[in-house]
Amino acid sequence: AQRALEFAALAVATVLAALFAYYSIRLAFQSWQFNDISTGNDATPLWIPQLAMASGTLILLIAIADELVLEWTGRRVRAKTDTALHHE
């Protein structure tokens, strides 16, 4: 039951990360296409800061998809300890 629940959670997370990555990449591309600039004095092209968010969401998608594949193939490593953690 735990494995099925973890697989379902990773599948939902993968779909959400894919949507987030798609729309953030699309936003950066459209800002570049329309030469959209900030309203401040420096008039920075908006695609430059949006590129950082787009690449971050793409990396997040790859990481979650990797965990999903590892869970699907049964090679995902989980930390298993029988003793509780003690702080001294």
Side-chain angles (χ1 to χ4, degrees):
Q2 179 184 356
R3 187 165 186 248
L5 201 59
E6 288 207 22
F7 182 77
L10 283 169
V12 169
T14 303
V15 169
L16 290 175
L19 288 171
F20 194 34
Y22 171 75
Y23 283 110
S24 62
I25 291 169
R26 183 177 159 201
L27 177 68
F29 181 71
Q30 285 178 347
S31 293
W32 174 76
Q33 225 176 7
F34 299 135
N35 294 322
D36 204 4
I37 58 172
S38 68
T39 57
N41 288 339
D42 60 348
T44 304
L46 286 179
W47 66 269
I48 295 173
Q50 289 171 351
L51 193 61
M53 183 176 132
S55 60
T57 56
L58 189 61
I59 291 169
L60 177 68
L61 172 63
I62 292 169
I64 294 175
D66 179 50
E67 288 295 315
L68 179 68
V69 169
L70 289 176
E71 183 69 34
W72 178 268
T73 58
R75 295 183 295 146
R76 187 162 177 241
V77 177
R78 290 184 198 87
K80 293 183 180 181
T81 59
D82 293 335
T83 60
L85 295 176
H86 297 286
H87 296 286
E88 295 183 35

Coordinates of all heavy atoms in Angstrom, one line a residue:
A1 N 0.8 -1.2 0.0 CA 0.0 0.0 0.0 C 0.9 1.3 0.0 O 0.5 2.2 -0.7 CB -0.9 0.0 1.2
Q2 N 2.0 1.2 0.8 CA 2.8 2.4 0.8 C 3.5 2.7 -0.5 O 3.6 3.8 -1.0 CB 3.9 2.2 1.9 CG 4.9 3.4 2.0 CD 6.0 3.2 3.0 OE1 6.0 2.2 3.7 NE2 6.9 4.1 3.0
R3 N 3.9 1.6 -1.2 CA 4.6 1.8 -2.5 C 3.6 2.4 -3.5 O 3.9 3.2 -4.3 CB 5.1 0.5 -3.0 CG 5.9 0.6 -4.3 CD 6.8 -0.6 -4.5 NE 7.6 -0.4 -5.7 CZ 7.5 -1.0 -6.9 NH1 6.5 -1.9 -7.0 NH2 8.3 -0.7 -7.8
A4 N 2.3 1.9 -3.5 CA 1.3 2.4 -4.4 C 1.0 3.9 -4.2 O 0.9 4.7 -5.1 CB 0.0 1.6 -4.3
L5 N 1.0 4.2 -2.9 CA 0.7 5.6 -2.5 C 1.8 6.5 -2.9 O 1.6 7.6 -3.4 CB 0.4 5.7 -1.0 CG -0.4 6.9 -0.5 CD1 -1.7 7.0 -1.2 CD2 -0.5 6.8 1.0
E6 N 3.1 6.1 -2.7 CA 4.2 6.8 -3.1 C 4.3 7.0 -4.6 O 4.6 8.1 -5.1 CB 5.5 6.2 -2.6 CG 5.7 6.4 -1.1 CD 7.1 6.4 -0.7 OE1 8.0 6.6 -1.5 OE2 7.3 6.1 0.5
F7 N 3.9 5.9 -5.4 CA 3.9 6.0 -6.8 C 2.9 7.0 -7.3 O 3.1 7.8 -8.2 CB 3.7 4.7 -7.4 CG 3.7 4.7 -8.9 CD1 4.9 4.8 -9.6 CD2 2.5 4.7 -9.7 CE1 4.9 4.8 -11.0 CE2 2.5 4.7 -11.0 CZ 3.7 4.8 -11.7
A8 N 1.7 7.0 -6.7 CA 0.6 7.9 -7.1 C 1.0 9.4 -6.7 O 0.8 10.3 -7.6 CB -0.7 7.6 -6.3
A9 N 1.7 9.6 -5.6 CA 2.1 10.9 -5.2 C 3.2 11.4 -6.2 O 3.2 12.6 -6.6 CB 2.6 11.0 -3.8
L10 N 4.1 10.6 -6.6 CA 5.2 11.0 -7.5 C 4.6 11.2 -8.9 O 5.1 12.1 -9.6 CB 6.2 9.9 -7.6 CG 7.2 9.9 -6.4 CD1 8.1 8.6 -6.4 CD2 8.1 11.1 -6.4
A11 N 3.6 10.5 -9.3 CA 2.9 10.7 -10.6 C 2.2 12.0 -10.6 O 2.4 12.8 -11.6 CB 2.0 9.6 -10.9
V12 N 1.5 12.4 -9.6 CA 0.8 13.7 -9.5 C 1.9 14.8 -9.5 O 1.7 15.8 -10.2 CB -0.1 13.7 -8.3 CG1 -0.6 15.2 -8.0 CG2 -1.3 12.8 -8.5
A13 N 3.0 14.6 -8.7 CA 4.0 15.6 -8.6 C 4.7 15.8 -10.0 O 5.0 16.9 -10.4 CB 5.0 15.2 -7.6
T14 N 4.9 14.7 -10.7 CA 5.5 14.8 -12.1 C 4.6 15.6 -13.0 O 5.1 16.5 -13.8 CB 5.7 13.4 -12.6 OG1 6.6 12.7 -11.7 CG2 6.4 13.5 -14.0
V15 N 3.3 15.4 -13.0 CA 2.4 16.1 -13.8 C 2.4 17.6 -13.5 O 2.4 18.4 -14.4 CB 0.9 15.5 -13.8 CG1 -0.1 16.4 -14.4 CG2 0.9 14.1 -14.4
L16 N 2.3 17.9 -12.2 CA 2.3 19.3 -11.8 C 3.6 20.0 -12.1 O 3.6 21.1 -12.6 CB 2.0 19.4 -10.3 CG 0.6 19.0 -9.8 CD1 0.5 19.1 -8.3 CD2 -0.4 20.0 -10.4
A17 N 4.7 19.3 -11.9 CA 6.0 19.9 -12.3 C 6.2 20.1 -13.8 O 6.7 21.1 -14.3 CB 7.2 19.0 -11.8
A18 N 5.6 19.2 -14.6 CA 5.6 19.3 -16.0 C 4.8 20.5 -16.5 O 5.2 21.3 -17.3 CB 5.1 18.0 -16.7
L19 N 3.7 20.7 -15.9 CA 2.8 21.9 -16.2 C 3.5 23.2 -15.8 O 3.5 24.1 -16.6 CB 1.5 21.8 -15.5 CG 0.5 20.7 -16.1 CD1 -0.7 20.6 -15.2 CD2 0.1 21.1 -17.5
F20 N 4.1 23.2 -14.6 CA 4.8 24.3 -14.1 C 6.0 24.7 -15.0 O 6.2 25.8 -15.4 CB 5.3 24.1 -12.7 CG 5.7 25.3 -12.0 CD1 5.1 26.6 -12.2 CD2 6.7 25.2 -11.0 CE1 5.5 27.7 -11.5 CE2 7.1 26.3 -10.3 CZ 6.5 27.6 -10.5
A21 N 6.8 23.7 -15.4 CA 7.9 23.9 -16.3 C 7.5 24.3 -17.7 O 8.1 25.3 -18.3 CB 8.7 22.6 -16.5
Y22 N 6.4 23.7 -18.2 CA 5.9 24.1 -19.5 C 5.5 25.6 -19.6 O 5.9 26.4 -20.5 CB 4.7 23.2 -20.0 CG 4.0 23.7 -21.2 CD1 4.6 23.5 -22.4 CD2 2.8 24.4 -21.1 CE1 4.0 24.0 -23.6 CE2 2.2 24.8 -22.3 CZ 2.8 24.6 -23.5 OH 2.1 25.1 -24.6
Y23 N 4.7 26.0 -18.6 CA 4.2 27.4 -18.6 C 5.3 28.4 -18.3 O 5.2 29.5 -18.8 CB 3.0 27.5 -17.7 CG 1.7 26.9 -18.3 CD1 1.2 25.8 -17.9 CD2 1.2 27.6 -19.4 CE1 0.1 25.2 -18.5 CE2 0.1 27.0 -20.1 CZ -0.5 25.9 -19.6 OH -1.6 25.3 -20.2
S24 N 6.3 28.0 -17.4 CA 7.3 29.0 -17.2 C 8.3 29.2 -18.4 O 8.7 30.3 -18.7 CB 8.1 28.6 -15.9 OG 8.7 27.4 -16.1
I25 N 8.5 28.1 -19.1 CA 9.3 28.2 -20.3 C 8.6 28.9 -21.4 O 9.1 29.8 -22.1 CB 9.7 26.7 -20.8 CG1 10.7 26.1 -19.8 CG2 10.3 26.8 -22.2 CD1 11.0 24.6 -20.0
R26 N 7.3 28.7 -21.5 CA 6.5 29.4 -22.4 C 6.4 30.9 -22.1 O 6.5 31.7 -23.1 CB 5.0 28.8 -22.4 CG 4.1 29.4 -23.4 CD 2.8 28.7 -23.3 NE 1.7 29.6 -23.9 CZ 0.5 29.4 -23.7 NH1 0.0 28.5 -22.9 NH2 -0.4 30.2 -24.2
L27 N 6.3 31.3 -20.8 CA 6.3 32.7 -20.5 C 7.6 33.3 -20.8 O 7.6 34.5 -21.4 CB 6.1 32.8 -19.0 CG 6.1 34.2 -18.4 CD1 4.9 35.0 -18.9 CD2 6.1 34.2 -16.9
A28 N 8.8 32.7 -20.6 CA 10.1 33.3 -20.9 C 10.2 33.4 -22.4 O 10.7 34.4 -22.9 CB 11.2 32.4 -20.3
F29 N 9.7 32.4 -23.2 CA 9.8 32.5 -24.6 C 9.0 33.6 -25.2 O 9.4 34.3 -26.1 CB 9.4 31.1 -25.2 CG 9.5 31.1 -26.7 CD1 10.7 31.1 -27.4 CD2 8.3 31.1 -27.5 CE1 10.8 31.2 -28.7 CE2 8.4 31.1 -28.9 CZ 9.7 31.1 -29.5
Q30 N 7.8 33.7 -24.6 CA 6.9 34.8 -25.1 C 7.4 36.2 -24.8 O 7.3 37.1 -25.5 CB 5.5 34.7 -24.6 CG 4.7 33.5 -25.2 CD 3.3 33.4 -24.6 OE1 3.0 33.9 -23.6 NE2 2.5 32.6 -25.3
S31 N 8.1 36.3 -23.6 CA 8.7 37.6 -23.2 C 9.8 37.9 -24.2 O 10.0 39.1 -24.5 CB 9.2 37.6 -21.8 OG 8.1 37.5 -20.9
W32 N 10.6 36.9 -24.6 CA 11.7 37.1 -25.5 C 11.1 37.5 -26.9 O 11.6 38.4 -27.6 CB 12.5 35.9 -25.6 CG 13.6 35.9 -26.7 CD1 14.7 36.6 -26.6 CD2 13.5 35.3 -27.9 NE1 15.4 36.4 -27.8 CE2 14.7 35.6 -28.6 CE3 12.6 34.4 -28.6 CZ2 15.0 35.1 -29.9 CZ3 12.9 33.9 -29.8 CH2 14.1 34.3 -30.5
Q33 N 10.0 36.8 -27.3 CA 9.4 37.0 -28.6 C 8.9 38.4 -28.8 O 9.0 39.0 -29.8 CB 8.3 36.0 -28.8 CG 8.3 35.3 -30.1 CD 7.2 34.2 -30.2 OE1 6.3 34.1 -29.2 NE2 7.1 33.5 -31.2
F34 N 8.2 38.9 -27.7 CA 7.6 40.2 -27.8 C 8.5 41.3 -27.3 O 8.0 42.5 -27.2 CB 6.3 40.2 -27.0 CG 5.3 39.2 -27.4 CD1 4.6 38.4 -26.5 CD2 5.0 39.1 -28.7 CE1 3.6 37.5 -26.9 CE2 4.0 38.2 -29.2 CZ 3.4 37.4 -28.2
N35 N 9.7 41.0 -27.0 CA 10.7 42.0 -26.5 C 10.1 42.8 -25.3 O 10.2 44.0 -25.2 CB 11.1 43.0 -27.6 CG 11.9 42.4 -28.7 OD1 12.7 41.5 -28.4 ND2 11.6 42.8 -29.9
D36 N 9.6 42.0 -24.4 CA 9.0 42.6 -23.2 C 10.1 43.0 -22.2 O 11.0 42.3 -22.0 CB 8.1 41.5 -22.5 CG 7.0 42.1 -21.6 OD1 6.9 43.3 -21.6 OD2 6.3 41.3 -21.0
I37 N 9.9 44.3 -21.7 CA 11.0 44.8 -20.8 C 10.3 45.2 -19.5 O 9.1 45.5 -19.5 CB 11.7 46.0 -21.4 CG1 10.8 47.1 -21.8 CG2 12.6 45.5 -22.6 CD1 11.5 48.4 -22.3
S38 N 11.1 45.4 -18.4 CA 10.5 45.8 -17.1 C 10.2 47.2 -17.2 O 10.7 48.0 -18.0 CB 11.6 45.5 -16.0 OG 12.7 46.3 -16.2
T39 N 9.4 47.6 -16.2 CA 8.9 49.0 -16.2 C 9.9 49.9 -15.4 O 9.7 51.1 -15.3 CB 7.5 49.1 -15.6 OG1 7.5 48.6 -14.3 CG2 6.5 48.4 -16.5
G40 N 10.9 49.4 -14.8 CA 11.9 50.1 -14.0 C 12.8 51.0 -14.9 O 12.7 51.0 -16.2
N41 N 13.7 51.7 -14.3 CA 14.6 52.6 -15.0 C 15.6 51.8 -15.9 O 16.1 52.3 -16.9 CB 15.3 53.5 -14.0 CG 14.4 54.6 -13.5 OD1 13.4 54.9 -14.1 ND2 14.8 55.1 -12.3
D42 N 15.9 50.6 -15.4 CA 17.0 49.9 -16.2 C 16.4 49.2 -17.4 O 17.2 48.8 -18.3 CB 17.6 48.8 -15.3 CG 16.6 47.8 -14.7 OD1 15.4 48.1 -14.9 OD2 17.1 46.8 -14.1
A43 N 15.1 49.0 -17.5 CA 14.5 48.4 -18.7 C 15.1 47.0 -19.0 O 15.4 46.8 -20.2 CB 14.5 49.3 -19.9
T44 N 15.2 46.2 -18.1 CA 15.7 44.8 -18.2 C 14.7 44.0 -19.1 O 13.5 44.0 -18.8 CB 15.9 44.2 -16.9 OG1 16.8 45.0 -16.1 CG2 16.5 42.8 -17.0
P45 N 15.2 43.3 -20.1 CA 14.4 42.3 -20.8 C 13.9 41.3 -19.8 O 14.6 40.7 -19.0 CB 15.3 41.7 -21.8 CG 16.4 42.7 -22.0 CD 16.6 43.3 -20.7
L46 N 12.6 41.0 -19.8 CA 12.0 40.1 -18.8 C 12.4 38.7 -19.0 O 12.3 37.9 -18.0 CB 10.5 40.3 -18.8 CG 9.9 41.6 -18.1 CD1 8.4 41.6 -18.2 CD2 10.4 41.7 -16.7
W47 N 12.8 38.3 -20.1 CA 13.1 36.9 -20.3 C 14.4 36.5 -19.6 O 14.5 35.3 -19.3 CB 13.3 36.6 -21.8 CG 14.4 37.2 -22.5 CD1 14.4 38.4 -23.1 CD2 15.7 36.8 -22.6 NE1 15.6 38.7 -23.6 CE2 16.5 37.7 -23.3 CE3 16.4 35.6 -22.2 CZ2 17.8 37.6 -23.6 CZ3 17.7 35.4 -22.4 CH2 18.4 36.4 -23.1
I48 N 15.2 37.4 -19.2 CA 16.4 37.1 -18.5 C 16.1 36.6 -17.1 O 16.6 35.5 -16.8 CB 17.4 38.3 -18.5 CG1 17.9 38.6 -19.9 CG2 18.6 38.0 -17.6 CD1 18.7 39.9 -20.1
P49 N 15.4 37.3 -16.2 CA 15.1 36.7 -14.9 C 14.1 35.5 -15.0 O 14.2 34.6 -14.2 CB 14.5 37.8 -14.1 CG 14.1 38.8 -15.1 CD 15.0 38.7 -16.3
Q50 N 13.3 35.5 -16.1 CA 12.3 34.4 -16.2 C 13.0 33.1 -16.7 O 12.6 32.0 -16.4 CB 11.2 34.8 -17.2 CG 10.3 35.8 -16.7 CD 9.3 36.3 -17.8 OE1 9.5 36.0 -19.0 NE2 8.4 37.1 -17.4
L51 N 14.2 33.3 -17.3 CA 15.0 32.1 -17.7 C 15.5 31.3 -16.5 O 15.5 30.1 -16.5 CB 16.2 32.6 -18.6 CG 16.9 31.5 -19.3 CD1 16.0 30.8 -20.3 CD2 18.1 32.1 -20.1
A52 N 15.8 32.0 -15.4 CA 16.2 31.3 -14.2 C 15.1 30.4 -13.6 O 15.3 29.3 -13.2 CB 16.7 32.3 -13.1
M53 N 13.9 31.0 -13.6 CA 12.8 30.2 -13.1 C 12.4 29.1 -14.1 O 12.1 27.9 -13.6 CB 11.5 31.1 -13.0 CG 10.3 30.4 -12.4 SD 9.0 31.6 -12.2 CE 7.7 30.7 -12.9
A54 N 12.5 29.3 -15.3 CA 12.2 28.2 -16.3 C 13.2 27.1 -16.2 O 12.9 25.9 -16.2 CB 12.3 28.8 -17.7
S55 N 14.5 27.4 -16.0 CA 15.5 26.3 -15.9 C 15.3 25.6 -14.5 O 15.5 24.4 -14.5 CB 16.9 26.9 -16.0 OG 17.2 27.9 -15.0
G56 N 15.0 26.3 -13.5 CA 14.8 25.7 -12.2 C 13.6 24.7 -12.2 O 13.7 23.6 -11.6
T57 N 12.5 25.1 -12.9 CA 11.4 24.2 -12.9 C 11.7 23.0 -13.8 O 11.2 21.9 -13.6 CB 10.1 24.9 -13.4 OG1 10.4 25.5 -14.7 CG2 9.6 26.0 -12.5
L58 N 12.5 23.2 -14.8 CA 12.9 22.1 -15.7 C 13.7 21.1 -14.9 O 13.6 19.9 -15.0 CB 13.6 22.6 -16.9 CG 13.9 21.6 -18.0 CD1 12.6 21.0 -18.5 CD2 14.7 22.2 -19.1
I59 N 14.6 21.6 -14.1 CA 15.5 20.7 -13.2 C 14.6 20.0 -12.2 O 14.8 18.8 -11.9 CB 16.6 21.5 -12.6 CG1 17.6 22.0 -13.6 CG2 17.3 20.7 -11.5 CD1 18.6 23.0 -13.1
L60 N 13.6 20.7 -11.6 CA 12.7 20.0 -10.7 C 11.9 18.9 -11.4 O 11.8 17.8 -10.8 CB 11.7 21.1 -10.1 CG 10.6 20.5 -9.2 CD1 11.3 20.0 -7.9 CD2 9.6 21.6 -8.9
L61 N 11.5 19.2 -12.6 CA 10.8 18.1 -13.4 C 11.6 16.9 -13.6 O 11.2 15.8 -13.4 CB 10.3 18.7 -14.7 CG 9.7 17.7 -15.7 CD1 8.4 17.0 -15.1 CD2 9.4 18.3 -17.0
I62 N 12.9 17.1 -14.0 CA 13.8 16.0 -14.2 C 14.0 15.2 -12.9 O 14.0 14.0 -12.9 CB 15.1 16.5 -14.8 CG1 14.9 17.0 -16.2 CG2 16.2 15.4 -14.8 CD1 16.1 17.8 -16.8
A63 N 14.2 15.9 -11.8 CA 14.4 15.2 -10.5 C 13.2 14.4 -10.1 O 13.4 13.2 -9.6 CB 14.8 16.2 -9.4
I64 N 12.0 14.9 -10.2 CA 10.8 14.2 -9.8 C 10.6 13.0 -10.8 O 10.2 11.9 -10.3 CB 9.6 15.1 -9.7 CG1 9.8 16.1 -8.6 CG2 8.3 14.4 -9.5 CD1 8.8 17.2 -8.4
A65 N 10.8 13.3 -12.1 CA 10.6 12.2 -13.0 C 11.6 11.0 -12.8 O 11.2 9.9 -12.9 CB 10.7 12.7 -14.4
D66 N 12.8 11.4 -12.4 CA 13.8 10.4 -12.1 C 13.3 9.5 -10.9 O 13.4 8.3 -10.9 CB 15.1 11.0 -11.8 CG 16.2 10.0 -11.4 OD1 16.4 9.0 -12.1 OD2 16.9 10.2 -10.4
E67 N 12.8 10.2 -9.8 CA 12.3 9.4 -8.7 C 11.1 8.6 -9.1 O 11.0 7.5 -8.6 CB 11.9 10.4 -7.6 CG 13.1 11.1 -6.9 CD 13.9 10.1 -6.1 OE1 13.3 9.2 -5.4 OE2 15.1 10.2 -6.2
L68 N 10.3 9.1 -10.0 CA 9.1 8.3 -10.4 C 9.6 7.0 -11.2 O 9.1 5.9 -10.9 CB 8.2 9.1 -11.3 CG 7.0 8.4 -11.9 CD1 6.0 8.1 -10.8 CD2 6.4 9.2 -13.0
V69 N 10.6 7.1 -12.0 CA 11.1 6.0 -12.8 C 11.8 5.0 -11.8 O 11.6 3.8 -11.9 CB 12.1 6.4 -13.9 CG1 12.9 5.3 -14.5 CG2 11.4 7.2 -14.9
L70 N 12.5 5.5 -10.8 CA 13.1 4.6 -9.8 C 12.1 3.9 -9.0 O 12.2 2.7 -8.7 CB 14.1 5.4 -8.9 CG 15.4 5.9 -9.5 CD1 16.1 6.8 -8.5 CD2 16.2 4.8 -10.0
E71 N 11.0 4.5 -8.7 CA 9.9 3.9 -7.9 C 9.2 2.8 -8.8 O 8.9 1.8 -8.3 CB 8.9 4.9 -7.4 CG 7.8 4.4 -6.6 CD 8.2 3.9 -5.2 OE1 9.2 4.5 -4.7 OE2 7.6 2.9 -4.8
W72 N 9.0 3.2 -10.1 CA 8.4 2.3 -11.0 C 9.2 1.0 -11.2 O 8.6 -0.1 -11.2 CB 8.2 3.0 -12.3 CG 7.6 2.1 -13.4 CD1 8.2 1.3 -14.3 CD2 6.2 1.9 -13.6 NE1 7.3 0.7 -15.1 CE2 6.0 1.0 -14.7 CE3 5.0 2.4 -13.1 CZ2 4.8 0.6 -15.2 CZ3 3.8 2.0 -13.6 CH2 3.7 1.1 -14.6
T73 N 10.5 1.1 -11.3 CA 11.4 0.0 -11.5 C 11.7 -0.7 -10.2 O 12.4 -1.8 -10.3 CB 12.6 0.4 -12.3 OG1 13.3 1.3 -11.5 CG2 12.3 0.9 -13.7
G74 N 11.4 -0.2 -9.1 CA 11.7 -0.8 -7.8 C 13.1 -0.6 -7.3 O 13.6 -1.3 -6.4
R75 N 13.8 0.4 -7.9 CA 15.2 0.6 -7.5 C 15.3 1.9 -6.6 O 16.4 2.3 -6.3 CB 16.1 0.8 -8.7 CG 16.2 -0.4 -9.5 CD 17.1 -0.3 -10.7 NE 16.5 0.7 -11.6 CZ 17.2 1.6 -12.4 NH1 18.5 1.6 -12.3 NH2 16.6 2.4 -13.2
R76 N 14.2 2.4 -6.1 CA 14.3 3.6 -5.3 C 14.7 3.2 -3.9 O 14.2 2.3 -3.3 CB 12.9 4.3 -5.2 CG 12.9 5.6 -4.5 CD 11.6 6.4 -4.9 NE 11.6 7.6 -4.1 CZ 10.7 8.0 -3.3 NH1 9.7 7.1 -3.1 NH2 10.7 9.1 -2.6
V77 N 15.7 4.0 -3.4 CA 16.3 3.7 -2.1 C 15.6 4.5 -1.0 O 15.5 5.7 -1.1 CB 17.8 4.0 -2.1 CG1 18.4 3.7 -0.7 CG2 18.5 3.2 -3.1
R78 N 15.2 3.8 0.1 CA 14.5 4.5 1.2 C 15.4 4.3 2.4 O 15.9 3.2 2.6 CB 13.1 4.0 1.4 CG 12.1 4.3 0.4 CD 10.8 3.8 0.8 NE 9.9 3.8 -0.4 CZ 9.8 2.8 -1.2 NH1 10.5 1.7 -1.0 NH2 9.0 2.8 -2.3
A79 N 15.4 5.3 3.2 CA 16.2 5.2 4.5 C 15.3 4.4 5.5 O 14.2 4.8 5.8 CB 16.5 6.5 5.1
K80 N 15.8 3.3 6.0 CA 15.1 2.5 6.9 C 15.9 2.3 8.2 O 17.0 1.7 8.2 CB 14.7 1.1 6.3 CG 13.8 1.1 5.2 CD 13.5 -0.3 4.7 CE 12.5 -0.2 3.5 NZ 12.1 -1.5 3.0
T81 N 15.4 2.8 9.3 CA 16.0 2.6 10.6 C 15.0 2.1 11.6 O 13.8 2.5 11.5 CB 16.6 3.9 11.1 OG1 15.6 4.9 11.2 CG2 17.7 4.4 10.1
D82 N 15.4 1.3 12.4 CA 14.5 0.8 13.5 C 14.6 1.6 14.8 O 13.7 1.5 15.6 CB 14.9 -0.7 13.8 CG 14.6 -1.6 12.6 OD1 13.7 -1.2 11.8 OD2 15.2 -2.7 12.5
T83 N 15.7 2.4 14.9 CA 15.8 3.2 16.1 C 15.5 4.7 15.7 O 15.7 5.1 14.6 CB 17.3 3.1 16.6 OG1 18.1 3.6 15.5 CG2 17.6 1.7 16.9
A84 N 15.0 5.3 16.7 CA 14.6 6.7 16.6 C 15.9 7.6 16.6 O 16.9 7.2 17.1 CB 13.7 7.2 17.7
L85 N 15.8 8.7 16.0 CA 17.0 9.6 16.0 C 17.1 10.3 17.3 O 16.1 10.7 17.9 CB 16.8 10.7 14.9 CG 16.8 10.2 13.4 CD1 16.5 11.3 12.5 CD2 18.1 9.5 13.1
H86 N 18.3 10.3 17.8 CA 18.5 10.9 19.1 C 19.4 12.2 19.0 O 20.4 12.1 18.3 CB 19.2 10.0 20.1 CG 18.4 8.7 20.4 ND1 17.3 8.8 21.2 CD2 18.5 7.5 19.9 CE1 16.8 7.6 21.3 NE2 17.5 6.8 20.5
H87 N 19.0 13.3 19.6 CA 19.7 14.5 19.6 C 20.4 14.7 21.0 O 19.7 14.6 22.0 CB 18.9 15.7 19.2 CG 18.3 15.6 17.9 ND1 19.0 15.8 16.7 CD2 17.0 15.3 17.4 CE1 18.3 15.7 15.7 NE2 17.1 15.4 16.1
E88 N 21.6 14.9 21.0 CA 22.3 15.1 22.3 C 22.6 16.5 22.5 O 22.9 17.3 21.7 CB 23.6 14.2 22.3 CG 23.3 12.8 22.2 CD 24.5 11.9 22.3 OE1 25.4 12.3 23.0 OE2 24.6 10.9 21.7

